[in-house]
Amino acid sequence: MVLVIDIGNTNITCGIFEGDEIKTTFRLTTKLQRTSDEYGVFICELLRTNHIEIEDIEAVLISSVVPNINYSFQNGIIKYIGKKPLLVGAGTKTGIKIQIANPKEAGPDRIVDAVGAYYLYGGPILVIDFGTATTYDLITEDGAFTAGVTSPGIRISANALWHDTASLPEIEIKKPSSILAKDTITSMQAGLVYGYMGQTEYIIRKMKEESGLSNLKVVATGGLGKMISEEVEEIDIYDPMLTLKGLNIIYKKNK
């Protein structure tokens, strides 16, 4: 079995693969002050809770956008699982060509998503990750990562709305029944969700137009991606496990 780990700004998402099958997934919050022992113990306990024996873990692969925790996290894996993890980065075989102005600026999370989207669904493809930030990345038919857009995630927008305005409350992010809101909470929900849907539709259309790829498939992933995908016709596929699947593909390429 292979343990794949996606360290994001908000959550650490872990998955166990046996071949191409996802056996189980679990999450931790991303906290900078944890020690290697804490990370190691948490991971081991979550594995046991999910009926996975530590001895059955053959390899560990990590994608991280939080460099400050990489050292303690990797040491926790080494100490408690007994495997030296492979950290996705320069020199990692991915099968994707990075053809942007500065390839080092392509974060490992975006590369992993690109790998998952391209090898699972083919190209040309646009992959959208609705995470802490929302990213739109274009991969051509021959597997080249050629362009990307980054925008504030919907939770960042929501936090700014209620933290930077004295009289607006913190709300649940969900689509109201109508955009014709009649109270403060639903008016905020309408602005956030319908506004984000409009942004998503426009960016997809504009990227198709400027790339000339009218046949571009669109796959979405990420926590709030399901809600947006259900409402945006331009999104063809929603795959909540895309990042973990991409990590598993990269593991097999580097095995």
Side-chain angles (χ1 to χ4, degrees), residues 4 23 29 31 35-36 46 55 88 95 101 114 116 118 124 142 148 162 168 171-172 187 200 203 210 221 238:
V4 297
K23 304 296 289 185
T29 54
K31 291 186 178 180
T35 66
S36 58
L46 287 165
E55 296 76 16
V88 176
Y118 181 73
D142 61 349
W162 58 64
L168 294 180
I171 61 168
E172 179 186 2
S187 74
T200 303
I203 290 176
E210 293 200 13
T221 191
Y238 174 66

Side-chain angles (χ1 to χ4, degrees), residues 1-251:
M1 294 183 185
V2 179
L3 170 60
V4 297
I5 302 168
D6 173 37
I7 301 177
N9 290 296
T10 305
N11 292 309
I12 298 170
T13 306
C14 306
I16 297 291
F17 279 83
E18 189 166 21
D20 292 328
E21 180 187 356
I22 301 178
K23 304 296 289 185
T24 189
T25 63
F26 50 89
R27 290 189 175 201
L28 296 166
T29 54
T30 304
K31 291 186 178 180
L32 300 181
Q33 65 268 34
R34 283 185 176 138
T35 66
S36 58
D37 289 313
E38 288 174 309
Y39 280 123
V41 168
F42 282 140
I43 295 291
C44 288
E45 286 303 313
L46 287 165
L47 288 171
R48 292 190 186 101
T49 300
N50 286 276
H51 311 292
I52 303 295
E53 297 296 330
I54 294 169
E55 296 76 16
D56 292 336
I57 302 298
E58 302 167 17
V60 181
L61 188 71
I62 299 173
S63 166
S64 174
V65 297
V66 190
N68 288 342
I69 74 168
N70 290 350
Y71 181 79
S72 57
F73 196 93
Q74 289 182 85
N75 280 346
I77 295 293
I78 293 168
K79 184 174 180 180
Y80 287 87
I81 297 182
K83 301 293 181 184
K84 184 177 180 180
L86 172 64
L87 187 66
V88 176
T92 307
K93 295 177 184 177
T94 65
I96 293 289
K97 296 167 283 188
I98 310 300
Q99 294 182 351
I100 57 176
N102 186 352
K104 292 181 179 179
E105 290 181 352
D109 56 334
R110 300 176 82 154
I111 294 170
V112 169
D113 282 344
V115 169
Y118 181 73
Y119 282 97
L120 291 171
Y121 304 109
I125 193 161
L126 178 65
V127 54
I128 310 174
D129 191 338
F130 292 94
T132 304
T134 297
T135 56
Y136 303 74
D137 295 320
L138 179 62
I139 299 94
T140 62
E141 187 173 1
D142 61 349
F145 182 136
T146 59
V149 171
T150 306
S151 71
I154 192 168
R155 290 192 190 279
I156 289 178
S157 301
N159 285 333
L161 187 61
W162 58 64
H163 286 149
D164 294 344
T165 50
S167 59
L168 294 180
E170 187 169 337
I171 61 168
E172 179 186 2
I173 301 173
K174 68 176 186 178
K175 177 177 172 283
S177 58
S178 171
I179 198 169
L180 303 176
K182 300 185 184 302
D183 59 73
T184 299
I185 290 176
T186 53
S187 74
M188 293 169 66
Q189 290 171 332
L192 284 166
V193 178
Y194 284 103
Y196 218 80
M197 287 160 48
Q199 171 188 290
T200 303
E201 290 171 352
Y202 181 80
I203 290 176
I204 293 171
R205 287 200 302 268
K206 197 67 177 172
M207 292 184 79
K208 284 184 175 182
E209 175 190 323
E210 293 200 13
S211 69
L213 298 170
S214 58
N215 63 332
L216 194 64
K217 289 192 290 289
V218 182
V219 59
T221 191
L224 288 168
K226 186 175 189 296
M227 178 179 66
I228 303 299
S229 298
E230 289 173 347
E231 304 295 334
V232 175
E233 291 183 1
E234 287 84 351
I235 296 175
D236 302 304
I237 303 156
Y238 174 66
D239 187 341
M241 298 298 167
L242 183 68
T243 306
L244 298 182
K245 291 175 182 176
L247 279 167
N248 190 50
I249 292 168
I250 292 173
Y251 162 72

